Amino acid sequence: MAEVAQDKPKVVLHWLSQSRSQRIVWLLQECKGIDWELKIYKRTSTSLAPPELKEVHPLGKSPVITIESSAIPRPIVLAESGAIAEYLTDYFCQHLAPKRYQDGKEGQVGGETEQWLRYRTMMHYAEGSIMPMLLLAMIMDSIAEGPGTPFFIKPLTRAITRGVYSMFLANALKEHFSFLEQQLATSPNNGKYLCGEALTAADILMVFPLSAAAQRNKYDRQKFPKLAAYTEMIENHEGYRASIKKVEDETGEPFKLLPG
């Protein structure tokens, strides 16, 4: 038994405060029996990631994970939330991915289940589609109302950012929220999650953009009731709450999703 434990892969999550890495804490806690640890990094006074992260990955980003095992010659280093989530799910948390193929259609093009096709889409949608729009919206908010903007310039920055928002961002975000509302309304087997009846890694990845959107009041809850209810549900999921408690216990500080 000791020899088996020695060969067990060890995962280190390099966690940055007020970043999207919190989702990986949740995902790792859902992977029962995995050997992992959290390494804490805090943002600098300018809200940037500390230079120490570049010692882990050249881009100095978070989340990033390292995986060590006696079976591999050097540690695996993975960045990008979607890639990390897919790798961990493939090897350690298979229950967080729906069944891929319909019975009797294994390996066939078009033989995938509806749940799996949604899962694969949402795993990439979270970072590739909705998050860039929300990030741009948050940057516009920071330019318009940020503490670093002199008060006599704020009328100008507000006018510019409002123009960008009304001409582009408002409609783009509305399309995303409408899409998600429709996805929830048509979840397979009337499931309460995006891909059906069970929690998946896609739901875990979606918690950050949806919580950020709710916190910054980026959509009308009355117009998107299913989205609002879903966001509240995953924010209160015991796994997500446990991930927040773990970080608070390790940092000794209250958890903050976003700066400010």
Side-chain angles (χ1 to χ4, degrees), residues 136 140 158-170:
L136 182 55
M140 292 295 103
R158 285 171 183 159
I160 293 172
T161 54
R162 284 171 185 164
V164 172
Y165 201 90
S166 62
M167 287 188 296
F168 171 62
L169 275 175

Side-chain angles (χ1 to χ4, degrees), residues 45 47 57 69 92 103 107 112 157 174 221 231 243 247 249:
S45 58
S47 296
H57 189 278
S69 169
F92 308 112
D103 291 340
E112 297 87 357
T157 59
K174 183 179 178 181
R221 293 169 179 262
T231 302
S243 76
V247 164
D249 288 344

Side-chain angles (χ1 to χ4, degrees), residues 45-147:
S45 58
T46 57
S47 296
L48 298 176
E52 291 82 4
L53 270 171
K54 286 195 173 182
E55 298 174 9
V56 184
H57 189 278
L59 293 178
K61 299 175 65 175
S62 180
V64 60
I65 64 170
T66 55
I67 305 173
E68 295 185 8
S69 169
S70 60
I72 54 178
R74 63 182 64 86
I76 297 170
V77 180
L78 286 176
E80 301 297 340
S81 297
I84 292 170
E86 285 191 344
Y87 194 92
L88 292 175
T89 301
D90 285 347
Y91 285 99
F92 308 112
C93 323
Q94 290 93 339
H95 65 285
L96 290 177
K99 178 182 177 182
R100 179 163 183 170
Y101 291 107
Q102 302 172 50
D103 291 340
K105 295 186 177 181
E106 291 78 7
Q108 296 182 23
V109 174
E112 297 87 357
T113 64
E114 181 184 358
Q115 291 91 333
W116 187 86
L117 287 172
R118 282 186 177 230
Y119 161 78
R120 178 54 64 89
T121 299
M122 287 296 168
M123 289 287 280
H124 295 268
Y125 171 83
E127 289 291 296
S129 291
I130 192 169
M131 198 61 228
M133 290 295 100
L134 285 171
L135 185 59
L136 182 55
M138 288 188 284
I139 291 172
M140 292 295 103
D141 291 344
S142 179
I143 292 172
E145 304 294 343

Side-chain angles (χ1 to χ4, degrees), residues 146-163:
T149 305
F151 75 92
F152 55 88
I153 295 179
K154 282 189 176 181
L156 177 60
T157 59
R158 285 171 183 159
I160 293 172
T161 54
R162 284 171 185 164

